[in-house]
Amino acid sequence: MEQQAVAAPEPAVLAAFENAKGFMPVDEGLALYAAAVEAAGLGLPLLEVGTYCGRSTVLLADAARRAGVLALTVDHHRGSEEQQPGWEYHDPEVVDPVVGRMDTLPTFRRTLHAAGLEEHVVALVGRSPQVAAVWQGPLGLVFVDGGHTDEHASGDYEGWAPKVADGGLLVIHDVFPDPADGGQAPYRIYLRALESGRFAEVSVTGSLRVLRKSAPDAGRR
């Protein structure tokens, strides 16, 4: 059987991804892009939790553009725990000098402008559980890459996984089975998804896991 070609971004899109502030490596970005292109075929929006400066948003936006759907991205833009002053991933360049707090929204907007993808993205500025509580429609893809505490990861999973359409994809970043490699909260929600019986693993690339949501009665006779 001939293997189906995996979707890949154009060089300009990949360059915009690589030039943006963020932490996702290229191999994981390519896996996310392929998943987004596939999920966009459902004709539903693609959503990510955890925008930061828009590095992964570039890929979701281009996949959405190709399919004529929208990419949605949820973030309060004040930074997660590990991005606060004194922590490993803090970047003083994204601190608002007026209020003295992180504000990644301006950098995110510049990222999308540089990529030429602004019109394909809706930025939802707020906390994930609050936005999830008022979002009613189904989604073709949910990409969870927000805060890495159990509280925040669990909130993202509980708020958004139910909104993935049957046949849609749940993508979770920073999944580390070995605690020596990283925090365990994303790994725990990954296990919850598998144990729910509604999600099956599609692919593994680095710390990125792609899961497909099945219908409630899938496999039953």
Side-chain angles (χ1 to χ4, degrees), residues 7-17 29-30 32-38 40-41 46 48 54-72 112 115-121:
E10 296 293 329
V13 174
L14 184 59
F17 164 80
L30 293 176
L32 173 63
Y33 185 82
V37 169
E38 178 188 338
L46 314 175
E48 73 173 341
R55 185 176 172 94
S56 55
T57 317
V58 167
L59 301 178
L60 296 183
D62 189 66
R65 177 195 62 79
R66 289 175 55 159
V69 300
L70 281 174
L72 313 168
L112 284 189
L117 292 167
E118 287 180 287
E119 65 184 278
H120 303 286
V121 178

